[in-house]
Each structure stands twice: as structure tokens, then as C-alpha cells.
Amino acid sequence: EDQVTQSPEALRLQEGESSSLNCSYTVSGLRGLFWYRQDPGKGPEFLFTLYSAGEEKEKERLKATLTKKESFLHITAPKPEDSATYLCAVQAGVTGGGNKLTFGTGTQLKVEL
Amino acid sequence: DSGVTQTPKHLITATGQRVTLRCSPRSGDLSVYWYQQSLDQGLQFLIQYYNGEERAKGNILERFSAQQFPDLHSELNLSSLELGDSALYFCASSEAPSGTTLHFGNGTRLTVT
């Protein structure tokens, strides 16, 4: 069974204090690893897709990296507006040609002034 | 705005009742997914449809059913509701049945009293 574990569960940073969020996974036949951001009362908002070990993607203050067993979301010089829950998910093939994303429980990030 | 529309935003009902949640996918997306998000379990995959046909099934209860109509909108029907069914229900859509990014709506918050 596919599993995704995110750590830490919660993280409090000062504005400008860089850090990393971790996503460890086990999956048979990884098709992609996804990072989403979720604000309270909203649906997950797509950030990145990573497909193979060694791949990196960047967007503003965020950078996602992937190895064969885990992914990191690096946050450089965060601002209060980066406060949100960050979700990691793995995509595996499903018999019948379907598509299943298995999510971790997320890291709740709070950035303070 | 992801382009995925879910109605209603909030629903309060009593145990034993039946409700229907509605989802309109992004323009051009043929696949629709339903997820349940509760406080203690994170996002759980329920079911996927592609162009009207079921493509993948997760841990969906027998009391729950879904369908995708010819105009591609989808409905999730929840019956014989229990207190434990209280959760956020998210719909997501994607272009293809597999290997593509899911875009989420803002969810329906179901409260069973």
C-alpha cells in the first residue's frame, strides 16, 4: 500500500528564517510526486510535480527536490503570506488506467513577523 | 481560482439522511475525482471518473455513490448518514485519466448532527 509521511507536523518560523519540509514515501511505480498548498477553508492549490530522482523545481521562495525515498520543500526567506498547510502526494498507476493520489497529512507552517 | 466549482459550500443535515454534492470540472477536463478530508485522517481518495466511466476506486463506503454525467459534471451521493461522515468533501479534475495534475475545488463542508 502506498504511504506518505510528512514531517514536521507543524512548523513556526520567523520571517526570513529559511527551513525545509520533509515528505517520505513508499509507492510501487511512482508516476509523480506532488506538492500542494492548502489555506484554511480552501481546496489544495497545486505547486509542483516531480517525476524522477534528482529533479528540482522552483517557484518564488519555494524549491522542491526529489530522491528515491523522499522529497523536500525548501522555503527561503519566508513571509507571513507563506503560512499554510503544505501537502505532499504520490501518484501511482492503477489497474484500469486510473489515477490515484495518496496524500500525507501535511505540515502546518506559520510564519511570524 | 482553480476553475473547479463545488456546490453547496456548506451542508448541515441529520443522521440517517441522504445528500448530494455537485462538482463541475475545469473547462476541458474529462476526469473527476472525489476526496474526503477529515481532521484526523487527511485527504482520502474516494473515486475517480473519466468521461463518464469509473476509473479508480478508493476507500469509498457502500453508502456512498457517485456518477459523472454526459456534460462531465459529477455528483457524490451520501446516504444513511452517520456522525462520522462529517468532513470536507473535495472534488478535483484533470485533463487525462492518469499522469496529470489534479486541480481541486474549494470543497463542501458536510456536518451531520
Side-chain angles (χ1 to χ4, degrees):
Chain A
E1 187 177 328
D2 303 338
Q3 282 196 316
V4 178
T5 303
Q6 292 187 245
S7 62
E9 288 186 9
L11 182 62
R12 182 170 287 185
L13 299 174
Q14 296 296 311
E15 185 176 14
E17 180 186 1
S18 302
S19 188
S20 296
L21 313 183
N22 177 264
C23 170
S24 299
Y25 64 91
T26 55
V27 62
S28 54
L30 179 72
R31 290 193 175 176
L33 184 139
F34 294 76
W35 283 97
Y36 285 83
R37 168 194 170 125
Q38 187 174 23
D39 293 296
K42 302 277 187 166
E45 176 189 344
F46 171 71
L47 293 174
F48 303 109
T49 309
L50 302 167
Y51 293 103
S52 57
E55 190 175 358
E56 299 183 351
K57 292 217 175 144
E58 287 188 67
K59 179 180 178 180
E60 296 180 357
R61 295 177 293 282
L62 301 177
K63 178 179 173 181
T65 62
L66 180 65
T67 72
K68 288 186 178 179
K69 292 184 179 181
E70 57 191 350
S71 176
F72 292 93
L73 185 65
H74 307 278
I75 304 177
T76 302
K79 298 182 177 182
E81 53 261 42
D82 295 322
S83 298
T85 296
Y86 290 85
L87 299 170
C88 171
V90 293
Q91 183 180 75
V94 177
T95 303
N99 190 4
K100 178 184 173 183
L101 276 187
T102 300
F103 280 84
T105 51
T107 293
Q108 193 171 358
L109 173 66
K110 184 168 177 60
V111 182
E112 299 172 331
L113 291 169
Chain B
D1 183 5
S2 68
V4 178
T5 304
Q6 289 188 248
T7 57
K9 290 185 180 179
H10 303 277
L11 202 48
I12 301 174
T13 189
T15 54
Q17 295 298 305
R18 172 189 169 95
V19 297
T20 298
L21 313 184
R22 183 187 169 101
C23 169
S24 295
R26 289 190 324 161
S27 177
D29 285 357
L30 298 179
S31 198
V32 170
Y33 309 76
W34 287 97
Y35 279 80
Q36 179 191 57
Q37 187 176 43
S38 53
L39 281 175
D40 57 344
Q41 290 206 339
L43 275 162
Q44 300 291 313
F45 171 67
L46 296 178
I47 198 163
Q48 176 200 3
Y49 281 83
Y50 176 74
N51 207 18
E53 294 188 2
E54 182 183 306
R55 276 300 184 105
K57 211 166 186 176
N59 298 324
I60 187 167
L61 299 173
E62 284 192 10
R63 301 183 286 107
F64 296 2
S65 65
Q67 55 183 326
Q68 186 180 28
F69 294 87
D71 67 353
L72 300 177
H73 91 272
S74 178
E75 292 182 357
L76 179 67
N77 300 297
L78 315 176
S79 62
S80 303
L81 284 167
E82 302 175 358
L83 295 177
D85 297 327
S86 296
L88 268 167
Y89 291 84
F90 287 104
C91 171
S93 71
S94 69
E95 288 181 342
S98 64
T100 60
T101 300
L102 273 63
H103 297 273
F104 284 79
N106 282 329
T108 292
R109 181 175 293 280
L110 174 66
T111 303
V112 183
T113 61

